[in-house]
Amino acid sequence: ENVRASGAGRILITSSISAGSNDALEDLQCERRWSDHRAYELSKLCDAMIAMKLNARYGDPPRLCFHTMDPGTVDTKMLRAGWGAGAPVRTATTSYEMLTEDRFQKSSGSGASYCRGEGEASRRKLWDELVR
């Protein structure tokens, strides 16, 4: 409520172009099939789905906006350990832009593509699982 009351609340949840493993939505703890990459993909899918669910429930631009995004493939220890090198971290400016540029206050819900085709029914099921 405090964020909404500010008149210009903006919540940004980091997802990733690597969001995926839709089949693991039935196995959120990855008990049936585990790998570090699968867990990462699933976590980023869930991040995007939660952002879109928050948008559907509470989004009220310009008073309260929800967005999700991919910060870019930057050179981190995790990336080098599994997939190779990326761009310098200083080039990952998407989150800064989304938090500071006025155009992101005029709308809410950008980043739905990171949900990888998961619709409202899947988002509701995930939400229910998380709040029980």
Side-chain angles (χ1 to χ4, degrees):
E1 288 304 311
N2 290 340
V3 175
R4 184 184 308 217
S6 75
R10 194 176 317 177
I11 297 173
L12 179 61
I13 298 174
T14 304
S15 185
S16 173
I17 197 167
S18 296
S21 293
N22 300 50
D23 62 305
L25 288 170
E26 298 298 324
D27 182 27
L28 290 174
Q29 300 301 318
C30 296
E31 293 171 328
R32 291 186 291 248
R33 188 172 144 218
W34 162 260
S35 77
D36 53 355
H37 192 258
R38 182 175 176 79
Y40 179 78
E41 287 179 337
L42 177 60
S43 74
K44 296 299 138 183
L45 173 62
C46 290
D47 287 345
M49 291 173 65
I50 290 167
M52 294 303 101
K53 187 64 179 172
L54 287 167
N55 175 61
R57 292 175 72 107
Y58 307 112
D60 183 20
R63 293 178 54 217
L64 186 57
C65 304
F66 296 89
H67 301 286
T68 187
M69 57 84 196
D70 170 27
T73 305
V74 297
D75 197 26
T76 62
K77 281 184 177 180
M78 185 176 79
L79 182 69
R80 287 190 305 269
W83 301 283
V89 172
R90 71 179 177 282
T91 66
T93 60
T94 304
S95 57
Y96 174 78
E97 292 164 5
M98 291 183 88
L99 290 170
T100 61
E101 291 183 6
D102 289 341
R103 64 189 169 109
F104 291 102
Q105 197 68 41
K106 296 175 183 169
S107 65
S108 187
S110 66
S113 64
Y114 298 112
C115 290
R116 299 293 186 241
E118 295 298 332
E120 175 57 28
S122 293
R123 293 192 296 266
R124 184 175 41 254
K125 185 175 179 181
L126 175 62
W127 182 271
D128 291 347
E129 180 70 22
L130 295 174
V131 297
R132 70 177 172 99

